[in-house]
Amino acid sequence: MVQILAGEKGEGKTKKLLEMANNAAKTGNGCVVYIDDDSRHIYDLDHSVRFVEVAEFPLANYRELIGFIYGILSQNSDIEKIFIDGIFKIVEKLDSEDIIKLVAKLKAIGDKYGIDFIAAANTLPTDLPKEIANVLI
């Protein structure tokens, strides 16, 4: 499953994402990973959530993000959910076509390994491609 929280800056997307990650850590059976572009929210997460800061690993495009995620998965086969905060900050270049490809690839990974992906994006839902409207929450 892939879900995207879209909205303008300051609408509470990160707060909701943090709550979702903490709830998943408390109620789930597998591991939870939270990917962010900085460490501001590390102490807002339950101690069992694996926090990954990508600031030292600049990701130029969606393919590099997918490779990064595969690297995380290679180290832990018990991951149940991966939260990605600020997808447009984490990936330097992400146009409409790339977003469609990213969602498709995340869905394929999720289906194969039983992982849910939830991402937050600083953009209006209407600014995202209509092809991914079914993943917006």
Side-chain angles (χ1 to χ4, degrees), residues 60-78:
N61 55 52
Y62 83 93
R63 289 181 191 92
E64 290 185 7
L65 175 61
I66 294 300
F68 191 81
I69 289 170
Y70 274 131
I72 291 170
L73 296 177
S74 74
Q75 297 299 309
N76 185 344
S77 61
D78 292 331

Side-chain angles (χ1 to χ4, degrees), residues 74-93:
S74 74
Q75 297 299 309
N76 185 344
S77 61
D78 292 331
I79 295 173
E80 186 175 271
K81 293 188 186 288
I82 295 179
F83 294 86
I84 306 169
D85 194 7
I87 192 86
F88 289 114
K89 287 190 222 173
I90 290 173
V91 180
E92 293 174 12
K93 179 192 173 289

Side-chain angles (χ1 to χ4, degrees), residues 12-43:
K13 294 177 303 302
T14 295
K15 183 178 178 181
K16 182 170 175 96
L17 207 64
L18 291 165
E19 288 173 7
M20 292 171 74
N22 286 331
N23 286 337
K26 292 174 188 169
T27 61
N29 296 322
C31 297
V32 176
V33 176
Y34 192 96
I35 301 172
D36 203 346
D37 66 320
D38 61 37
S39 62
R40 284 178 300 188
H41 302 293
I42 192 167
Y43 297 112

Side-chain angles (χ1 to χ4, degrees), residues 11 15 21 30 47-48 55 58 64 67 69 71-72 85 87 91 99 102 110-111 113 122 124:
E11 288 187 358
K15 183 178 178 181
H47 72 282
S48 65
E64 290 185 7
I69 289 170
I72 291 170
D85 194 7
I87 192 86
V91 180
I99 294 167
L102 174 62
D111 290 347
Y113 297 103
N122 283 341
L124 292 172

Side-chain angles (χ1 to χ4, degrees), residues 118-137:
I118 303 95
N122 283 341
T123 188
L124 292 172
T126 55
D127 292 339
L128 291 169
K130 65 180 184 314
E131 292 86 350
I132 65 162
N134 62 323
V135 302
L136 298 177
I137 56 172

